[in-house]
C-alpha cells in the first residue's frame, strides 16, 4: 500500500441542540479540553453567528489522522429548523457511521404515554428521538456519546442511561445499548465487529469534555474499532465519479471544488496530459473540464485521488469559449465523471417515520437527498405499499402513504 492508498471513515455527529456535539468534536480533533464556556467549539465553528449563539447551523467536516486511516467527523445541526440540513449532510458527506450525542443532564426524555421505574420521569421535546429514527431508517451503524457527566450526580446519570435504553427497546431493529466504562468493555464490541455485525451493538460512552473523563476510551474506539463499512478498493478501476459538496474561489488559483470520489481514480494534469472529464449537470448539460492540481484534506498537494477518498480539485475548462468555471453556476451535488448520463425519472424506496402525521399522495412535491444531490421532485406513481401501522380501516389506499 502506497501513501496515497489510505482508507477514510466518515462519521456523522448528531444530537439535540445544546447536547455538546461541537464541543466533543473540538476536544477529539484538537486534543484540548473545554473550559466549560465553549472554548473547544469556538475552534471549529465556521460562522460568527454560530460562535455567538453556540449552535451549529451548517454542515462542517473535521479530520483526524489515525496512522494509515483518515477519520472525518461531520458536525450536524441539532436545531429542529435545520433538520433538512442535517439529512442533506448525511447523504452529501456519505456518512457511514453515526455518533449520537446526548447530554447527561437531559437524557432522551420519555413520552407522556411511557411508564418506567426511572425516578423523576421527565418529558423533553427534542430532536434526539428524530435523529435515532433517522439512523434506523438509513440503517447506519451507530454509537452514543453521553456528555456533561460532570454536571450530574449518579442518580441523574443512571436515569439518563435508562431513558436511552427504554427508547431503543421500542424499535424493531435489533440494537443493543452497551455502556462502556472501561477499555475492557470494548472487547464486547470487538466480538460483534469481528463477526461483521456492525449494527447490533450501540456502545454508549460516558464522557466529560471539561474534566476529560473517558475521552481516551472514546478516542481508542474511533481510532482502532471503527473501519470503513463500504469498500471502495474494487471501484478504483471503474469510471470516475466525483461528487461535489462545496465550491470555492481561490485567489491566484481559480475555481476549486471539494468532495468525495465514489469510483475511479482522478490524476492531476501533468503537462498537456489530462483525463477526459465532464462536469454537470449544468443547465441540463455536461461540459468538458480538466483537473489542474489536487489537495487532500490536510492541504497537502497530491498527484492522485482514489475511490473512497475526499479532497479538493482545481478545475479548468477545456472549452475556452464556455466560461463555465468562471461563472458561479456550479452547484453542490454536481458530479465530475468520465461517462455523463442525465436522468429525470427514477424509482425510490420511501420510508415514513411512525411518529410523523404525514400523508404523501400522487403529485406530491418533495426534496430528494440522494448522495450529493438535493433536488425537488414530484411523485408520479406509488406502488408496493407495505405498512406497519394497524388502521381502523382494513383497506389501504393504493395511492397514499402515511406514517409507518
Amino acid at each position: 500500500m502506497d501513501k496515497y492508498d489510505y482508507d477514510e471513515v466518515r462519521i456523522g455527529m448528531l444530537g439535540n441542540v445544546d447536547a455538546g456535539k461541537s464541543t466533543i468534536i473540538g476536544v477529539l480533533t484538537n486534543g484540548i479540553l473545554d473550559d466549560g464556556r465553549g472554548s473547544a467549539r469556538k475552534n471549529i465553528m465556521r460562522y460568527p453567528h454560530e460562535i455567538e449563539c453556540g449552535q451549529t447551523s451548517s454542515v462542517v467536516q473535521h479530520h483526524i489522522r489515525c496512522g494509515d486511516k483518515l477519520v472525518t467527523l461531520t458536525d450536524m445541526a441539532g436545531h429542529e429548523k435545520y433538520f433538512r440540513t442535517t439529512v442533506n449532510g448525511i447523504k452529501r458527506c456519505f456518512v457511514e457511521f453515526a455518533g449520537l450525542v446526548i447530554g447527561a443532564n437531559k437524557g432522551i426524555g420519555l413520552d407522556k404515554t411511557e411508564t418506567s421505574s426511572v425516578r423523576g420521569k421527565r418529558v423533553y421535546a427534542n430532536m434526539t428521538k428524530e435523529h435515532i429514527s433517522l439512523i434506523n431508517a438509513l440503517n447506519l451503524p451507530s454509537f452514543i456519546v453521553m456528555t456533561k457527566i460532570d454536571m450530574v450526580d449518579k442518580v441523574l446519570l443512571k436515569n439518563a442511561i435508562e431513558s436511552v435504553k427504554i427508547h431503543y427497546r421500542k424499535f424493531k431493529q435489533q440494537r443493543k445499548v452497551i455502556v462502556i466504562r472501561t477499555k475492557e468493555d470494548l472487547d464486547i464490541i470487538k466480538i460483534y465487529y469481528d463477526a461483521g455485525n456492525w449494527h447490533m451493538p450501540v456502545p454508549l460512552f460516558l464522557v466529560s469534555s471539561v474534566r476529560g473523563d473517558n475521552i481516551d476510551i472514546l478516542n481508542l474506539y474511533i481510532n482502532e474499532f471503527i473501519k470503513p463499512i463500504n469498500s471502495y478498493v474494487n471501484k478504483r478501476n471503474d469510471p470516475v465519479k466525483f461528487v461535489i459538496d462545496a465550491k470555492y474561489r481561490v485567489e491566484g488559483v481559480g475555481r476549486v471544488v471539494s468532495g468525495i470520489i465514489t469510483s475511479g481514480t482522478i490524476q492531476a494534469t501533468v503537462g498537456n496530459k489530462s483525463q477526459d472529464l465532464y462536469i454537470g449537470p449544468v443547465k441540463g448539460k455536461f461540459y468538458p473540464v480538466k483537473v489542474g492540481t489536487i489537495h487532500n484534506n490536510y492541504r497537502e498537494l497530491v498527484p492522485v485521488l482514489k475511490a473512497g477518498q475526499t479532497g479538493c480539485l482545481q478545475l479548468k475548462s477545456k472549452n475556452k469559449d464556455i466560461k463555465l468555471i468562471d461563472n458561479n453556476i456550479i452547484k453542490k451535488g454536481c458530479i465530475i465523471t468520465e461517462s455523463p448520463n442525465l436522468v429525470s425519472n427514477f424509482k425510490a424506496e420511501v420510508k415514513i417515520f411512525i411518529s410523523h402525521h404525514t400523508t404523501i399522495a400522487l403529485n406530491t412535491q418533495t426534496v430528494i437527498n440522494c448522495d450529493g444531490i438535493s433536488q425537488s421532485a414530484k411523485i408520479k406513481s406509488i406502488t408496493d405499499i407495505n405498512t406497519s401501522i394497524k388502521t381502523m380501516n382494513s383497506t389501504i389506499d393504493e395511492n397514499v402513504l402515511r406514517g409507518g
Side-chain angles (χ1 to χ4, degrees):
M1 177 184 292
D2 60 47
K3 62 180 180 179
Y4 305 118
D5 213 7
Y6 55 88
D7 291 324
E8 288 193 23
V9 179
R10 287 169 285 276
I11 304 174
M13 303 299 286
L14 296 91
N16 188 48
V17 62
D18 295 333
K21 298 182 297 298
S22 299
T23 299
I24 190 65
I25 292 175
V27 171
L28 293 173
T29 54
N30 296 321
I32 302 175
L33 295 178
D34 187 58
D35 63 355
R37 300 179 184 86
S39 62
R41 72 183 180 214
K42 289 179 181 178
N43 293 327
I44 66 169
M45 284 183 163
R46 177 183 292 179
Y47 300 111
H49 72 270
E50 293 180 332
I51 298 175
E52 183 178 348
C53 68
Q55 297 178 359
T56 303
S57 61
S58 59
V59 177
V60 188
Q61 295 175 298
H62 308 278
H63 311 285
I64 306 174
R65 240 180 191 154
C66 307
D68 58 352
K69 181 177 70 175
L70 178 67
V71 177
T72 299
L73 299 176
T74 304
D75 192 8
M76 304 288 186
H79 201 283
E80 183 178 358
K81 66 180 179 180
Y82 297 125
F83 183 64
R84 287 178 293 181
T85 303
T86 297
V87 175
N88 175 257
I90 290 176
K91 299 304 295 181
R92 176 161 53 88
C93 298
F94 291 81
V95 167
E96 296 180 286
F97 255 86
L100 181 68
V101 182
I102 301 174
N105 57 331
K106 291 186 177 181
I108 287 184
L110 302 173
D111 295 329
K112 294 180 180 179
T113 58
E114 294 175 323
T115 58
S116 97
S117 59
V118 177
R119 195 179 79 182
K121 185 176 72 172
R122 298 156 294 171
V123 179
Y124 295 110
N126 58 34
M127 291 298 294
T128 305
K129 297 175 184 178
E130 199 80 16
H131 290 159
I132 294 175
S133 297
L134 180 62
I135 291 169
N136 288 336
L138 297 176
N139 198 30
L140 293 173
S142 61
F143 61 94
I144 299 173
V145 180
M146 185 164 285
T147 60
K148 305 182 182 181
I149 65 171
D150 55 293
M151 295 176 59
V152 299
D153 57 23
K154 292 182 179 180
V155 175
L156 289 177
L157 179 59
K158 180 180 178 181
N159 290 349
I161 296 172
E162 186 65 19
S163 71
V164 173
K165 292 182 177 180
I166 290 173
H167 187 72
Y168 267 82
R169 292 190 198 116
K170 299 194 304 181
F171 293 94
K172 290 184 177 180
Q173 288 96 335
Q174 295 295 316
R175 301 216 181 196
K176 183 179 180 181
V177 177
I178 302 173
V179 180
I180 307 297
R181 300 181 185 275
T182 65
K183 294 180 180 180
E184 287 70 27
D185 292 336
L186 289 174
D187 293 338
I188 303 173
I189 307 300
K190 189 175 187 299
I191 294 173
Y192 284 102
Y193 287 180
D194 288 346
N197 190 345
W198 298 91
H199 297 81
M200 169 74 83
V202 182
L204 189 155
F205 299 89
L206 308 174
V207 306
S208 168
S209 298
V210 177
R211 293 191 316 216
D213 299 19
N214 299 325
I215 294 295
D216 58 335
I217 300 177
L218 179 58
N219 263 318
L220 177 65
Y221 170 74
I222 292 175
N223 295 347
E224 298 187 12
F225 284 73
I226 297 182
K227 298 179 181 179
I229 304 299
N230 302 314
S231 175
Y232 290 92
V233 175
N234 57 352
K235 297 181 180 180
R236 291 179 176 174
N237 293 322
D238 294 346
V240 169
K241 181 182 178 182
F242 181 91
V243 182
I244 298 173
D245 67 11
K247 57 182 180 179
Y248 309 95
R249 186 76 179 172
V250 181
E251 186 176 354
V253 177
R255 176 63 65 193
V256 174
V257 296
S258 68
I260 177 175
I261 176 170
T262 59
S263 66
T265 299
I266 294 180
Q267 296 180 343
T269 299
V270 179
N272 294 325
K273 185 179 180 180
S274 63
Q275 289 176 275
D276 293 327
L277 300 174
Y278 300 85
I279 189 171
V282 177
K283 297 184 177 180
K285 295 181 180 181
F286 279 83
Y287 295 91
V289 293
K290 62 180 179 179
V291 175
T293 56
I294 303 175
H295 285 75
N296 61 17
N297 288 321
Y298 283 89
R299 300 183 180 181
E300 297 171 338
L301 189 65
V302 294
V304 64
L305 208 62
K306 301 182 180 181
Q309 299 174 352
T310 55
C312 296
L313 311 178
Q314 178 202 13
L315 297 183
K316 299 179 180 179
S317 179
K318 280 191 173 182
N319 191 337
K320 295 182 180 179
D321 296 332
I322 301 176
K323 296 183 178 180
L324 172 72
I325 306 303
D326 294 330
N327 294 334
N328 193 26
I329 57 177
I330 300 175
K331 297 180 179 180
K332 297 177 183 178
C334 286
I335 66 171
I336 297 174
T337 180
E338 291 176 314
S339 51
N341 183 28
L342 291 169
V343 175
S344 59
N345 295 276
F346 59 93
K347 293 183 179 180
E349 179 180 328
V350 179
K351 296 180 181 179
I352 306 177
F353 298 159
I354 294 177
S355 59
H356 279 224
H357 304 289
T358 303
T359 299
I360 296 178
L362 293 178
N363 297 321
T364 296
Q365 296 188 37
T366 186
V367 175
I368 300 296
N369 291 294
C370 179
D371 293 347
I373 300 171
S374 182
Q375 176 67 47
S376 177
K378 180 188 289 187
I379 295 179
K380 300 181 69 174
S381 64
I382 298 176
T383 59
D384 302 328
I385 296 180
N386 293 311
T387 180
S388 60
I389 301 298
K390 295 181 180 179
T391 59
M392 296 296 293
N393 188 355
S394 59
T395 61
I396 300 176
D397 192 336
E398 294 182 354
N399 292 321
V400 176
L401 297 175
R402 294 185 176 88

